[in-house]
Amino acid sequence: MMGVAPSLTPAPENTAATEPVVTFYVGPLLLGLPIAQVREINRHLDFTPVPHAPPQVRGVVNLRGEVVTVLDLHRVLGLPAAEQTLQTRNLIVFYQGEPVGLLVDQVADIVEVDPEELNPPPANVQGVQARFFRGVLPMERDILVLLDLDEALSLTAEKGGNSRQENTRS
Amino acid sequence: MFDDPELVQSFVEESLEHLADIEQELLLIEQQGEQLDLELVNKVFRAIHSVKGAAGFLGLTQINQLAHSAEHVLDLIRNGQLVPSSEVVDVLLRAADQLRWMIQNVDQSQECDIQELVQQLQQAASGAAGEEAASGQRETTEQRETTEQQNTPGPQNETAQEQPSSQSSDGSASGQEKSASPTPVQSNAAPAQGQTQPSAAGETKAASGQAAQPPSPPAAQKQNGAGGPAPQKPTPRTTAAETSLRVPVHVLDRLMNLAGELVLSRNQLLQQLDTSLVQGGGAIVAGLDRVTSELQEAVMQTRLQPLGNVLNRFGRVVRDLARKLGKQCRLEITGKEVEVDKSIIEAISDPLTHLVRNALDHGIETPEQRVAAGKEPEGRLELRAYHQAGKVCLDVVDDGRGIDPQRLKEKAVARGLISRERAEAMSTREALQLIFAPGFSTAEKVTDVSGRGVGMDVVRSNIERLGGTVEVESQLGQGTTVHITLPLTLAIIPSLIVRCGCQPFAVPQVNIVELVRVRAGERQRRIGRIKEAPVLRLRGDLLPLVHLSEVLWGSQPQATEGPINILVLESGQQRYGLVVDALEDSQEIVVKPLGQHLKGCPCLAGATILGNGQVALILDVAGIAASVQLRNVQQQEAEDAAEEEATAADSQTVLLFTNHPEEYFAVPMGLVARIERVRREQLQHLGGHQVLQYEHDTLPVLQLDRLLQVKPAPETRRLFAIIFRLRRREVGLLVPELCDVQEIPLEVDTESFVEPGVMGSVVVDGRTVRLLDLFELAQKAHPEWFARSPAEPAPEAAPTQYRLLVVEDSKFFRTKVAEFLTQAGYQVRQCEDGQEAWDLLCSGQAEVDLLITDIEMPRMNGFELCRAIRQHPQWSWLPVVALTSLSSQEDVQRGREAGVDDYQVKMDREQLLESVGRLLQQKRRPAPQEEPVPVG
């Protein structure tokens, strides 16, 4: 995720120095991801459940011939599992060169964010640990929280790894 | 001199190609010794010469100088002035290594210090008859380490000068670690480099990053066929160049993916068109179908490479390592021509290297030890590749000291890997597999050859990641065989789609042995439990059963009324039955990897997309076995092997009881009419016999301690009378204590404990149990009952006229039944199974008046035999009596449908004789002129 760091610090030659960010709701949170990290947003929600997967994994979907893992962001952040509604979307992001789907409650908007205006996240936001976040930005109605994709997704990957070890040892 | 990078690049590629086979060829030259194959030397000479020329042209003086010195030595060998001794070849090999390294790192080549090597080459050239031999040995060992290091890529951050001269054991050890530890460098490197530069070079670099020998590009190898150098008729390089083409690996990968997608699209199209085919559309679809299949195959072919690519390199590894360890070892390689997917070739190299090193380090003994053990001083290491059932097998076989399972167990216990109880319960076979346990090393001390923490567990996980399996077999003192199986390709696999709930899953066909459908009615008979674990009875085998829904979702299998679908699966040496909810069709599926978040799912090998776009997960057959700890079940079975075999062959429900508390007896449950509790005071003596006094009647009773050589029964107030019918009267057997009703295997020992009244003994739960013959017991107690046979319904003719055929797979029962039939006066012929009996009947050689058959038999069971008989024009009249251990209503029904005339319990000789007599009267062989007697 090399692309993330520069997007949050103002590029010297770019005077506007803002970055388009996709915002979406997960439970009580308004989250954001730089648009460069998002491959697409779709409604592929017919997951194939995967046995023995980490609890954060909702299943896999067929994305034009590719088998993509879909994570429930609620579970990743330690919130109760998501309930699917008409607004539920599958946000496909790139994580270490591989597409991963994120289940979100509702996609909100695309906003321009000036990294300079970002505040460091408080110890927790709505009960979710700060380590998942890059920073917060007060908006008109909500507080926009920029998601740290690496942290959010590596956690599950790590857990997956652990469970594998447990399984092979057993 | 570097002003033209393209020129330099093509020099690098070309030179590496020239050097590719040199190592093999030099080793061959060494082997041939004085019986030199001149053409082979010429080939090496030409290769070095070409490198020299090109290097000179580019101004690469160091390469040029080294090549020149090597060329000079080869020239002497070619002219017969120098014998290619081990020492000479050693220097040449090192020169080749150095050349290769310099070419790979061409921009550093000018800074290389090659003087020492050049001197050694000159020394070799001048010492035409091997005077240096005396000092050579020590020097060689030291130089060995240089070679070791050069086998691994020169560390990029070190300067080139340090590289060849650093001979400290430290340096060599670290170099070795690199080559021994299976780093993922190779597999990742190849595609990545393939995108930035022509692939052959990228591939070469990646491959040589792990070991010294770079494979030639795939197309060229295809030309060579066997891949290895053909010593007698070396193929000139020019020919290969004319007819082959270098293609970047990523292009092939892309083609492969596209072919995969095409297969998918074809499948979707076929499903769409299936129902709505227009006239003539069939031919078009068939054409598309065929072309797609061929395309897929052709693309797959491009990725196939002979295993020789990786196997050949071990000539050098074994030679060098053996010398270093002071051992002698002969390497035999078979199956170099076996082709597998490139990705597999790449990935198998590391585990294989580890296994070979292990074999040399721990397996093969020193010459002294070998001689002391009565073996040839020279050890033998065999690498054997072959195809088997759509898989590729690779065996690493040594004739070394073998592995001591006892020591493995102790070590595993000492390291806390397993409990002592578990260790004691382990079979030898299972104990051997302990070497694959994480954190296990058998080496007494850690050497730098093998056993540096990178253990066999890594070998196993690497192989299993490829969808392969690895097992070890060993005979202490005789040697060890490591058996690896690998899939041919990883990309497209034929598979069977099954359902669990409503979700589809794919099972690779290679793992499927057969499909078994157990009808609701057969369930009780075919599905049983051994110590809580469900098993399937399959032709005399007991197969552990796994419910897919249980293993995947942990849900209890639903009790359904319908038939059960079972896939009999095999992975490595494991076999088990997988219960699925439904079977669908077979499909060729394109394997898609699962994302990194799902790497920890042990039961899955990937995913695929079905014709309807649905994702189906691919089941990992070995993973499922591991996750339910199938080994335990299998081990249990192995322990109870004898019992198991017998259970499968035949079993009998018996009533177990004791007479004296230490002596166990059994009677067939089928003979027991009922059991009564009696008080001792009810017993009376009447005319020298014991009887049981009822209110209005008396019952003759038998006591074991009066009839058999047994310890006396305790004088208890209460007793049991096991009551059975004999000669149309009831007889009771008095026993002080009942134990159990149990199904016991009929592995009957007819040697020990045999006396009239005892048929033999069986071992049940570690206790010897005597199986009683009630008939004989009664005869012993009341011979007067048997003086005549008034009760016997006498056949019209004397029994001797009748010829009976007894068909029974259990030898015990067969002889027993034949024995008393013979005693009764019949002529008896015996067959071991239905097939044998059927063959006999069909041969026209046999005269048979009645057939007595067991139900459960291998090859052809009793029902099948009976059905066949009923269909046969000549034998359809034949009376058939079926024998059963304990007749179930269901069996009786099935038997009637098959045409069985009567059912009898196996041990009930009276009933059987009566039945035989009756049937012989009723049914008779139709005389030609007579009308057929209607079946009664």
Side-chain angles (χ1 to χ4, degrees), chain A residues 48-54 57 60-62 65-67 69 71 95-96 98 100 153 156-157 160 163-164 167 169-170, chain B residues 261 438 503 505 551-553 592-604 607-609 613 615 617 626-627 629:
Chain A
T48 301
V50 180
H52 304 146
V57 173
V60 289
V61 293
N62 169 13
E66 244 175 316
V67 176
T69 311
L71 304 179
Y95 175 64
Q96 294 178 358
E98 160 186 313
V100 176
L153 297 195
T156 30
S163 76
R164 177 200 185 125
N167 282 324
R169 295 240 164 127
S170 64
Chain B
E261 288 303 315
Q503 197 179 341
F505 290 89
V551 78
L552 293 184
W553 309 112
K592 311 241 172 198
L594 286 170
Q596 55 182 306
H597 298 92
L598 301 174
K599 293 292 183 227
C601 304
C603 301
L604 302 179
T608 189
I609 293 166
V615 177
L617 299 167
S627 79
Q629 290 189 288

Side-chain angles (χ1 to χ4, degrees), chain B residues 16-31 40 43-44 47-48 89 92-94 96-98 100 144 147 150-152 208 211-214 229 309-320:
Chain B
L16 287 177
E17 220 170 271
H18 282 308
L19 292 176
D21 293 334
I22 275 197
E23 187 174 288
Q24 284 301 308
E25 287 153 3
L26 282 174
L27 289 176
L28 262 176
I29 289 172
E30 181 186 18
Q31 267 175 30
L40 192 61
K43 197 183 163 210
V44 179
I48 299 275
V89 171
L92 282 172
L93 281 172
R94 269 183 287 127
D97 288 342
Q98 180 67 18
R100 192 177 300 119
R144 276 265 39 70
T147 317
Q150 286 164 355
N151 266 347
T152 68
S208 59
Q213 198 209 357
N309 283 0
V310 62
L311 296 181
N312 279 334
R313 111 175 27 142
F314 288 105
R316 177 76 180 276
V317 172
V318 168
R319 171 189 182 275
D320 289 355

Side-chain angles (χ1 to χ4, degrees), chain B residues 791-811:
Chain B
E792 190 118 14
E796 279 175 14
T800 39
Q801 277 193 339
Y802 291 109
R803 287 140 305 196
L804 310 186
L805 185 60
V806 176
V807 191
E808 162 73 78
D809 56 333
S810 153
K811 180 162 179 281

Side-chain angles (χ1 to χ4, degrees), chain B residues 44-59:
Chain B
V44 179
F45 181 87
R46 279 197 303 270
I48 299 275
H49 183 78
S50 311
V51 172
K52 182 183 97 169
F57 177 73
L58 286 171

Side-chain angles (χ1 to χ4, degrees), chain B residues 203-340:
Chain B
E203 189 187 324
T204 303
K205 276 193 182 166
S208 59
Q210 303 221 305
Q213 198 209 357
S216 14
Q221 265 143 15
K222 277 250 145 357
Q223 278 282 313
N224 282 345
Q232 300 309 321
K233 272 173 59 190
T235 324
R237 280 255 160 234
T238 45
T239 323
E242 277 159 13
T243 54
S244 70
L245 193 63
R246 257 188 233 132
V247 179
V249 176
H250 73 266
V251 173
L252 287 186
D253 286 346
R254 179 125 186 280
L255 264 180
M256 192 74 185
N257 281 343
L258 289 174
E261 288 303 315
L262 190 57
V263 171
L264 262 180
S265 306
R266 176 199 65 184
N267 291 349
Q268 284 170 341
L269 185 67
L270 286 180
Q271 281 192 357
Q272 289 286 314
L273 289 183
D274 213 22
T275 44
S276 58
L277 257 191
V278 282
Q279 196 86 43
I284 300 169
V285 171
L288 175 68
D289 195 30
R290 198 192 64 238
V291 172
T292 312
S293 299
E294 278 180 28
L295 177 67
Q296 183 194 333
E297 219 164 278
V299 173
M300 205 113 83
Q301 279 284 323
T302 63
R303 291 179 54 93
L304 291 188
Q305 294 192 339
L307 266 172
N309 283 0
V310 62
L311 296 181
N312 279 334
R313 111 175 27 142
F314 288 105
R316 177 76 180 276
V317 172
V318 168
R319 171 189 182 275
D320 289 355
L321 206 58
R323 294 184 78 175
K324 180 170 181 171
L325 294 166
K327 295 178 179 179
Q328 294 174 16
C329 185
R330 183 171 79 250
L331 177 68
E332 285 170 20
I333 302 179
T334 52
K336 287 180 188 178
E337 71 288 350
V338 172
E339 288 189 322
V340 296

Side-chain angles (χ1 to χ4, degrees), chain B residues 328-460:
Chain B
Q328 294 174 16
C329 185
R330 183 171 79 250
L331 177 68
E332 285 170 20
I333 302 179
T334 52
K336 287 180 188 178
E337 71 288 350
V338 172
E339 288 189 322
V340 296
D341 193 275
K342 179 178 168 300
S343 51
I344 292 179
I345 294 241
E346 281 167 2
I348 195 61
S349 161
D350 272 340
L352 211 51
T353 307
H354 192 88
L355 291 174
V356 166
R357 282 170 174 269
N358 248 341
L360 271 164
D361 197 19
H362 307 313
I364 306 275
E365 311 91 328
T366 59
E368 300 79 44
Q369 287 170 336
R370 290 185 65 87
V371 171
K375 299 184 189 177
E376 284 177 38
E378 187 183 43
R380 199 177 68 94
L381 182 68
E382 192 182 347
L383 294 176
R384 200 160 51 194
Y386 51 96
H387 285 286
Q388 191 179 62
K391 291 173 238 180
V392 174
C393 297
L394 249 174
D395 294 348
V396 181
V397 187
D398 71 60
D399 68 345
R401 59 172 71 98
I403 304 173
D404 184 354
Q406 208 50 47
R407 258 190 53 208
L408 287 183
K409 286 185 191 177
E410 281 160 21
K411 200 145 255 175
V413 171
R415 302 203 174 181
L417 297 173
I418 53 170
S419 68
R420 182 154 296 280
E421 296 76 54
R422 177 100 180 81
E424 274 159 18
M426 268 185 172
S427 63
T428 305
R429 178 170 194 86
E430 243 212 331
L432 284 175
Q433 315 306 324
L434 278 174
I435 63 167
F436 295 116
F440 200 95
S441 169
T442 58
E444 303 274 271
K445 58 180 168 47
V446 170
T447 67
D448 64 347
V449 175
S450 56
R452 18 180 76 246
V454 184
M456 295 286 271
D457 57 326
V458 178
V459 169
R460 180 170 72 174

